[in-house]
């Protein structure tokens, strides 16, 4: 698209009361400014110029590496008109139109911007403002109209009784023809705030005979401007709901959508069911026909089709293959791969391990830095002792192995194909294929011992030394 986009991101955002710049606060997995820019980028404009304040270098750093962005510095945060003015020397001369977006308006949809641009260009106005209606105009600038035309925007600080009925407000999105840009120099300073308001371009335009149109095509939720923590939490709930409704439209079932958080980049296949209080973060991909039960947390994972994740499991940066069952109360830590049709049961922790197809580790185990071959059974309470206090070591368990319950495998160690490890063993040496390894004290039975002890006790004799 042959327009230039200017995104205003130079304000200090003091109403947020934060040590972090306002625009770097997150809405689900992305910062406010990333979301605004992502939408701006999707329009494929000639260029995007982001206005930043030198004091908020963190914003520039956070956006560095994105070659599609240009930066303009606003030396002092002297208001939105001053911010826009700071961008002008960077704007490509060949752009006929300039779209201005407040950086703190992250929920706006590309579709709405396209419609706004098309309606604005189609009107006879060289300056258009995207507006919306709200029952609670609070901090937004009120749109003053005369007939169809906009003749002013009144900011909260300047509101008088005559504006109290106005429910149409400014979204902070403007389209200007390049011939109107000169108006910016005519904007006077707002005496109350000591700032130059971009909104005052309207009165300046009207005075100069430039017609201004107000285009009201989107709702309050979409055009929410984020100034405070309250706005932030509202934005999170709007976006969360939007994402979940999109997923429902794509065939995902939610038992109680109000309690679920799913990042916008997450993909979920048809006929998967999500139970209450589930959180799925970052670009996780969940397959078809999965069941994800209550309270589970999944971050940056690939979960293939037909997987069941039972309640309160935590799965982080890992790959769970088709048909596997995880949990309840399992913890899969980064860089793990859980094989097809395998079962990782309750209170099992897996870290940086490859679990083969059909492996069962059903109860109370720690599997760290291990490779486990197909069809192996890991008994309850098995622990890979992977850390010697200095370094981590690998445990390799080949196919079809049976590890008896309560075994410790002291890494580095290899258990050969088809071997057995007797329950309660501490394995310090490699076990050859098909062998039985057993390392525990021989059992001794002392006949009638309990009876003798009871007799002594009854006679009042000392039993402490038994
Ligand atoms: C602004 C509008 C208001 C509109 C609302 C929509 C003005 C004067 N008011 O109010 O009419 O209803 O947005 O959300 O424009 N910024 C700079 N440099 C500055 C000041 C601000 O770059 O010196 C940037 C901010 O980073 C922010 C944007 O401009 O992204 C808007 O600034 P903000 O202070 O949030 O304006 P509002 O009071 O919300
Ligand atoms: Ca704002």
């Amino acid at each position: 698209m042959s327009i230039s986009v200017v995104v205003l991101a130079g304000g200090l955002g003091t109403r947020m009361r934060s040590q972090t710049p306002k625009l770097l606060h997150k809405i689900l997995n992305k910062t406010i400014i990333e979301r605004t820019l992502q939408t701006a980028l999707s329009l494929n404009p000639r260029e995007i110029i982001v206005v930043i304040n030198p004091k908020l270098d963190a914003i520039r750093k956070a956006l560095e590496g994105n070659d599609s962005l240009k930066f303009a510095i606003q030396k002092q945060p002297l208001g939105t008109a001053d911010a826009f003015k700071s961008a002008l020397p960077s704007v490509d001369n060949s752009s006929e139109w300039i779209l201005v977006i407040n950086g703190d308006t992250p929920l706006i949809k590309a579709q709405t911007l396209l419609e706004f641009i098309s309606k604005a260009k189609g009107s006879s106005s060289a300056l258009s403002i995207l507006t919306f209606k709200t029952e609670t105009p609070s901090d937004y600038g009120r749109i003053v109209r005369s007939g169809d035309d906009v003749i002013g925007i009144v900011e909260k600080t300047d509101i008088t009784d005559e504006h109290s009925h106005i429910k149409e407000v400014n979204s902070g999105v403007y389209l200007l023809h390049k011939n109107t840009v000169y108006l910016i120099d005519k904007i006077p300073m707002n005496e109350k705030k000591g700032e130059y308001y971009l909104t005052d371009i309207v009165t300046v335009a009207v005075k100069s005979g430039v017609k201004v149109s107000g285009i009201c095509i989107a709702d309050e939720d979409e055009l929410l401007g984020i100034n405070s923590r309250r706005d932030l939490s509202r934005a999170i709930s709007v976006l969360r709901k939007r994402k979940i409704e999109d997923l429902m439209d794509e065939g995902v079932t939610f038992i109680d959508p109000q309690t679920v958080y799913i990042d916008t980049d997450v993909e979920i296949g048809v006929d998967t069911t999500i139970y209450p209080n589930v959180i799925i973060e970052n670009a996780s991909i969940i397959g078809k026909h999965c069941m994800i039960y209550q309270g589970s947390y999944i971050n940056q994972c690939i979960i293939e089709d037909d997987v069941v994740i039972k309640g309160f499991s935590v799965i982080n940066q890992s790959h769970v293959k088709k048909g596997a069952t995880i949990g309840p109360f399992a913890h899969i830590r980064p860089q793990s791969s859980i094989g097809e049709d395998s079962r990782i049961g309750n209170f099992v922790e897996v870290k940086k391990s490859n679990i083969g197809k059909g492996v069962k580790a059903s109860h109370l185990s720690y599997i760290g830095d291990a490779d486990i071959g197909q069809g192996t059974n890991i008994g309850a309470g098995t622990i890979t002792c992977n850390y010697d206090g200095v370094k981590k070591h690998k445990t390799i368990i080949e196919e079809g192995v049976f590890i008896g319950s309560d075994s410790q495998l002291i890494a580095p160690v290899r258990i050969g194909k088809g071997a057995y490890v007797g329950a309660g063993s501490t394995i310090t040496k490699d076990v050859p294929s098909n062998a039985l390894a057993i390392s525990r004290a021989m059992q001794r039975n002392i006949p009638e011992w309990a009876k003798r002890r009871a007799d002594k006790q009854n006679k009042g004799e000392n039993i402490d030394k038994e």
Side-chain angles (χ1 to χ4, degrees):
M1 193 184 285
S2 62
I3 64 168
S4 293
V5 176
V6 173
V7 175
L8 307 182
L12 296 183
T14 49
R15 286 166 280 181
M16 197 64 137
R17 300 208 189 286
S18 175
Q19 293 179 338
T20 303
K22 174 177 90 172
L23 296 176
L24 294 185
H25 281 260
K26 280 190 169 177
I27 300 171
L28 301 178
N29 58 328
K30 288 203 172 69
T31 60
I32 297 171
I33 189 68
E34 273 180 286
R35 291 208 177 273
T36 309
L37 290 173
Q38 189 180 31
T39 308
L41 281 162
S42 73
L43 302 178
N44 212 3
R46 169 166 292 145
E47 59 183 356
I48 297 180
I49 299 152
V50 188
V51 180
I52 52 171
N53 180 301
K55 273 198 209 146
L56 302 177
D57 207 39
I59 296 186
R60 188 199 197 116
K61 285 215 175 89
L63 300 173
E64 243 165 25
N66 192 333
D67 297 340
S68 323
L69 305 176
K70 290 190 200 169
F71 293 95
I73 302 289
Q74 182 190 18
K75 289 196 188 94
Q76 299 287 334
L78 290 176
T80 42
D82 180 67
F84 179 53
K85 200 172 159 181
S86 315
L88 289 175
S90 315
V91 173
D92 190 328
N93 278 332
S94 56
S95 287
E96 217 178 322
W97 293 92
I98 304 172
L99 178 72
V100 183
I101 310 175
N102 281 355
D104 63 357
T105 311
L107 304 186
I108 193 162
K109 293 179 187 165
Q111 196 49 42
T112 302
L113 286 173
L114 289 173
E115 194 182 337
F116 168 64
I117 294 166
S118 134
K119 289 213 154 89
K121 282 186 180 173
S123 75
S124 52
S125 310
L127 168 59
S128 295
I129 294 156
L130 177 60
T131 69
F132 63 98
K133 297 224 168 91
T134 171
E135 284 307 309
T136 48
S138 56
D139 284 358
Y140 295 113
R142 281 30 168 204
I143 300 289
V144 184
R145 287 189 184 256
S146 170
D148 276 351
D149 294 351
V150 176
I151 55 161
I153 301 178
V154 182
E155 289 303 298
K156 192 183 175 189
T157 38
D158 302 315
I159 288 170
T160 59
D161 286 348
E162 63 170 312
H163 309 116
S164 59
H165 68 283
I166 299 177
K167 301 276 192 262
E168 185 184 13
V169 295
N170 170 25
S171 70
V173 177
Y174 316 81
L175 190 75
L176 296 90
H177 190 271
K178 67 175 178 185
N179 295 342
T180 63
V181 161
Y182 73 96
L183 295 169
I184 207 83
D185 287 320
K186 297 190 171 194
I187 293 176
M189 180 195 271
N190 180 293
E191 296 297 338
K192 280 192 195 144
K193 285 289 284 277
E195 285 186 7
Y196 298 87
Y197 288 172
L198 184 51
T199 47
D200 284 338
I201 198 169
V202 176
T203 35
V204 169
V206 172
K207 269 189 205 147
S208 308
V210 175
K211 195 162 125 64
V212 183
S213 76
I215 297 171
C216 188
I217 48 169
D219 70 7
E220 180 173 5
D221 281 350
E222 184 181 339
L223 297 175
L224 175 65
I226 296 176
N227 297 326
S228 65
R229 308 262 181 176
R230 287 180 190 226
D231 297 332
L232 184 70
S233 85
R234 226 181 103 201
I236 293 169
S237 79
V238 169
L239 203 61
R240 189 169 64 89
K241 190 161 171 259
R242 201 189 271 176
K243 175 69 184 177
I244 289 173
E245 286 176 355
D246 286 351
L247 288 168
M248 287 183 188
D249 292 345
E250 288 162 21
V252 179
T253 296
F254 289 86
I255 305 291
D256 184 12
Q258 281 84 349
T259 63
V260 170
Y261 286 78
I262 297 187
D263 277 342
T264 41
D265 296 343
V266 171
E267 292 170 26
I268 305 183
V270 291
D271 289 332
T272 283
T273 300
I274 312 282
Y275 275 72
N277 295 311
V278 166
I279 299 177
I280 307 178
E281 288 192 330
N282 291 308
S284 294
I285 298 174
I286 316 277
K288 292 181 258 186
H289 315 291
C290 293
M291 300 292 280
I292 307 198
Y293 285 96
Q294 69 281 1
S296 289
Y297 172 75
I298 298 169
N299 178 43
Q300 255 181 292
C301 286
I302 296 174
I303 311 282
E304 295 187 2
D305 297 346
D306 304 310
V307 166
V308 177
I309 296 171
K310 296 185 181 170
F312 310 103
S313 297
V314 173
I315 311 182
N316 221 326
Q317 296 168 50
S318 290
H319 186 157
V320 180
K321 297 195 178 155
K322 193 172 178 337
T325 301
I326 310 279
F329 302 103
H331 187 187
I332 313 295
R333 291 171 51 201
Q335 297 180 53
S336 297
S337 166
I338 310 296
E340 211 175 304
D341 296 326
S342 58
R343 281 166 186 272
I344 302 296
N346 46 191
F347 307 107
V348 174
E349 175 180 347
V350 178
K351 187 218 91 174
K352 208 177 175 184
S353 294
N354 280 309
I355 311 284
K357 185 174 174 183
V359 167
K360 288 189 186 133
S362 299
H363 338 262
L364 299 153
S365 287
Y366 172 60
I367 300 170
D369 303 298
D371 282 351
I372 300 185
Q374 181 168 339
T376 280
N377 188 86
I378 306 285
T382 297
I383 293 182
T384 55
C385 307
N386 59 330
Y387 187 48
D388 60 11
V390 181
K391 276 195 191 152
K392 302 276 167 63
H393 300 280
K394 271 204 95 145
T395 300
I396 296 171
I397 304 176
E398 296 180 353
E399 284 176 38
V401 169
F402 180 93
I403 309 281
S405 296
D406 193 28
S407 296
Q408 301 96 54
L409 309 173
I410 306 207
V413 72
R414 173 186 288 267
I415 317 288
K417 190 170 170 182
Y420 277 67
V421 169
S425 294
T426 301
I427 301 298
T428 53
K429 292 185 291 201
D430 288 356
V431 178
S433 287
N434 298 316
L436 166 68
I438 186 153
S439 83
R440 60 187 183 219
M442 198 65 92
Q443 183 170 331
R444 193 161 66 103
N445 291 343
I446 306 170
E448 301 301 315
W449 178 91
K451 201 158 165 281
R452 283 201 305 280
R453 188 174 194 263
D455 289 347
K456 275 190 179 178
Q457 209 171 5
N458 289 340
K459 288 183 204 152
E461 289 174 14
N462 185 4
I463 57 163
D464 290 349
K465 286 184 185 151
E466 284 289 330

